[in-house]
Amino acid sequence: MKELQSLSLLFLAIYFVLLVGGIFYTRKSKDSVDYFLGGRKLPFWTISIAFIASWWGAGSAIETADKAYNEGISAFMIYGMPVLFSAFMIYIFSKAIRKIGTITQPQLLEERYGKLAAYLLSVLIFIFMTVSAAGQMVAIGDFFDTFLGINYTWGVIIGTAIVVLYSSVGGFRGVVITDIIQFVFLLITSLLLFGIAYYHSGGWSNIQDIALNNNKTDYNDITSGFSKNVIYVITFGAAWMIQANVWQRISATRTPEDAKKMIGTSFLTFIPLYLMVTLTGMFALGLFDKMPEEGIIMGIITNYMSPVLGALMFIGISSAVMSTMDSLINTGALVLSVDIHKKIKEDKLSSKQLVLSGKISTLIVSLIAIIIGLRIRSILDVSWIAADFIATGAFVPIVLGFLWKKGNHKAAVASMIFGILFPTYNLFISLGIDLPSAWEHGSAQQVLIGMSGSLILYTIVSIFTKSNEAKANQFIRKAELIKSKAS
């Protein structure tokens, strides 16, 4: 184990030098479009890989493999199905998002509704991105702790420091370059883990026999535990469909056609990727009599790989966690810099000041996320908290903004205020505060109440208040998702 840890530290140092070295050789950002969107000059396939890397992170891969070991193929529903649902929905809206041409989601919402709605969305996105980044910090802290024997706190700090350095220096272009490198590492790692798990498992028929002997009768039933797993599909799916870092990548494409190709390519790629990590966990049933204390992935590395190969696996998984973390931090910084700081300064910041603001915002988002990651050590719990805010508060006004001309600024504001208060109330309950609740906490009922409440408020306020149809028509006509009477 000591040899594995020493080699892993050595490879991590080499990897860090190569990563940062590559970023320093990228050209400097001239303005906010350059810093946060790569100047909209990157080919769609590079952004596609960055998009895939940001959603197919090691945190979700590790969690899926562990769940699949215990629950079987239905573990695919926790991360894989929400990703596919989200990607499909984004595919429908991708060209419209790119045609609007804004840098951020709040800018888009301001164009559709007005300034207050844009500010509220900025708050929701900032919360979502910061909390979600904390989830990846939990993953890197736990992984460094288990793999290297580094204290969890220092694992979080070291892993985050690497991400902050290359993210703040290279901006979005740097994130895309490193995401491509990190995706290759994770893909090789996942293929090797899958191959080793399959080889040592005794084959599919042996896994079925073991599952039956252990009374796992629903091991091959993807609908098993549906009432529980559908919560993740609805909440994660709705939240990720409007995830700001995904829209950032759509906005960074050269053309609306590139945006659609990027999402379509990613959708088809996600299917085998998430199936692979699910099957890896299932095949591990033939490798271990019980769940390894350190988890399935770590168990395979330490028990079935040489130190050199294990160290390479460590780099692959670490890089994957970082690829998701950098995406979340970069988008959180984008909102803080462009939608909050710039607005406070009333758009008086120069291009150089905006780039500096972006770098400082990167540090602020990272520091807040570190504090959260050190307090809550559960990837799934952190992901749930983040998704609850964005799904309840932002899904309805954003999606209906493209589809319903009658929807107006007051309706969007009412919907988002509810979307901030309801998840905050649920968060207090999660933290152990004894508050009355008419719904089961963390249930499908809670999700449906939250999103239905947002929809009902949006609809009622839109019907009974005056709408700015000229503004709505202009926005919808620009997006060209549906035909408006003004077109």
Side-chain angles (χ1 to χ4, degrees):
M1 188 65 180
K2 286 186 178 180
E3 183 182 1
L4 175 60
Q5 290 177 342
S6 298
L7 284 170
S8 298
L9 282 170
L10 175 62
F11 287 0
L12 180 64
I14 295 171
Y15 172 76
F16 173 69
V17 170
L18 292 174
L19 201 63
V20 175
I23 296 304
F24 273 105
Y25 276 100
T26 60
R27 67 182 180 84
K28 292 183 178 180
S29 300
K30 298 176 181 178
D31 51 36
S32 58
V33 174
D34 212 22
Y35 186 78
F36 287 115
L37 299 180
R40 289 196 172 110
K41 295 179 180 179
L42 298 172
F44 91 92
W45 66 267
T46 62
I47 305 177
S48 297
I49 295 175
F51 173 42
I52 294 167
S54 67
W55 266 8
W56 189 55
S60 60
I62 292 170
E63 190 87 21
T64 299
D66 288 349
K67 291 285 185 183
Y69 176 85
N70 289 317
E71 301 173 16
I73 193 69
S74 63
F76 183 81
M77 295 286 289
I78 297 175
Y79 284 106
M81 194 59 72
V83 163
L84 293 177
F85 170 73
S86 301
F88 176 75
M89 292 298 293
I90 295 169
Y91 180 79
I92 296 173
F93 287 87
S94 56
K95 289 180 71 173
I97 295 167
R98 180 60 184 88
K99 284 178 179 177
I100 296 299
T102 56
I103 297 178
T104 69
Q105 274 182 323
Q107 286 180 346
L108 181 146
L109 220 65
E110 182 175 346
E111 192 166 329
R112 173 61 177 87
Y113 297 114
K115 289 185 178 181
L116 182 55
Y119 274 122
L120 289 173
L121 182 60
S122 300
V123 172
L124 284 164
I125 292 173
F126 181 77
I127 293 171
F128 177 80
M129 290 298 158
T130 305
V131 176
S132 296
Q136 298 306 309
M137 293 174 189
V138 172
I140 202 72
D142 279 338
F143 193 59
F144 279 16
D145 186 2
T146 302
F147 208 99
L148 300 177
I150 295 175
N151 174 272
Y152 171 78
T153 300
W154 279 108
V156 170
I157 294 171
I158 292 170
T160 305
I162 294 173
V163 173
V164 169
L165 183 57
Y166 72 70
S167 295
S168 60
V169 172
F172 182 73
R173 190 179 289 103
V175 167
V176 170
I177 291 171
T178 53
D179 278 356
I180 292 172
I181 297 170
Q182 290 161 342
F183 174 76
V184 172
F185 271 109
L186 180 58
L187 182 60
I188 294 171
T189 299
S190 299
L191 287 169
L192 283 170
L193 287 167
F194 173 78
I196 290 171
Y198 175 77
Y199 178 79
H200 291 283
S201 68
W204 184 254
S205 59
N206 186 49
I207 294 303
Q208 306 315 300
D209 292 339
I210 295 173
L212 288 173
N213 290 337
N214 286 281
N215 296 317
K216 296 179 182 289
T217 55
D218 297 327
Y219 211 60
N220 296 326
D221 183 4
I222 197 168
T223 63
S224 176
F226 180 79
S227 60
K228 177 185 67 175
N229 292 334
V230 73
I231 300 172
Y232 300 117
V233 177
I234 296 172
T235 306
F236 289 167
W240 296 344
M241 183 257 168
I242 55 171
Q243 195 166 316
N245 58 331
V246 175
W247 288 44
Q248 179 189 16
R249 279 150 176 71
I250 293 172
S251 297
T253 55
R254 293 171 173 173
T255 65
E257 288 69 28
D258 273 3
K260 198 159 190 174
K261 283 194 293 183
M262 179 195 79
I263 302 299
T265 301
S266 301
F267 176 88
L268 295 175
T269 307
F270 283 133
I271 298 173
L273 293 181
Y274 275 98
L275 268 178
M276 181 166 57
V277 294
T278 303
L279 291 172
T280 299
M282 294 175 70
F283 284 129
L285 197 64
L287 278 60
F288 307 105
D289 293 331
K290 62 178 182 179
M291 168 76 77
E293 186 177 342
E294 66 272 24
I296 293 300
I297 302 300
M298 185 63 182
I300 294 174
I301 291 172
T302 55
N303 290 281
Y304 291 91
M305 291 185 178
S306 67
V308 173
L309 189 56
L312 289 173
M313 295 300 98
F314 164 75
I315 295 301
I317 294 170
S318 298
S319 66
V321 177
M322 293 180 200
S323 71
T324 304
M325 192 196 303
D326 64 30
S327 170
L328 297 167
I329 290 174
N330 186 257
T331 308
L334 166 64
V335 170
L336 185 58
S337 174
V338 175
D339 295 309
I340 297 177
H341 184 210
K342 186 180 178 183
K343 293 298 181 183
I344 291 173
K345 292 293 185 179
E346 298 179 345
D347 296 336
K348 293 179 181 178
L349 295 176
S350 66
S351 296
K352 287 184 178 180
Q353 287 174 322
L354 270 173
V355 172
L356 177 61
S357 174
K359 293 180 179 182
I360 294 172
S361 296
T362 298
L363 291 174
I364 293 172
V365 171
S366 301
L367 288 172
I368 296 173
I370 285 175
I371 293 170
I372 297 170
L374 294 178
R375 294 292 300 272
I376 306 175
R377 288 187 61 171
S378 170
I379 300 170
L380 200 57
D381 286 350
V382 172
S383 298
W384 172 267
I385 292 168
D388 195 23
F389 273 94
I390 204 75
T392 304
F395 183 82
V396 169
I398 288 178
V399 173
L400 290 188
F402 283 95
L403 300 174
W404 194 31
K405 291 186 298 180
K406 182 66 178 174
N408 60 38
H409 184 237
K410 291 180 180 178
V413 169
S415 178
M416 282 190 281
I417 289 175
F418 173 80
I420 293 173
L421 296 177
F422 184 76
T424 300
Y425 190 87
N426 293 324
L427 176 60
F428 288 154
I429 295 174
S430 296
L431 294 173
I433 299 174
D434 187 16
L435 295 172
S437 175
W439 54 89
E440 181 185 351
H441 185 65
S443 65
Q445 183 186 29
Q446 175 187 313
V447 176
L448 292 173
I449 289 173
M451 296 188 69
S452 297
S454 178
L455 176 60
I456 290 168
L457 268 175
Y458 184 89
T459 304
I460 291 174
V461 175
S462 293
I463 291 172
F464 290 100
T465 59
K466 187 177 180 181
S467 62
N468 187 339
E469 288 203 15
K471 188 180 184 74
N473 273 324
Q474 183 180 11
F475 179 89
I476 292 173
R477 186 170 64 251
K478 188 175 181 181
E480 291 185 352
L481 186 64
I482 61 174
K483 296 294 183 180
S484 66
K485 289 182 181 178
S487 60

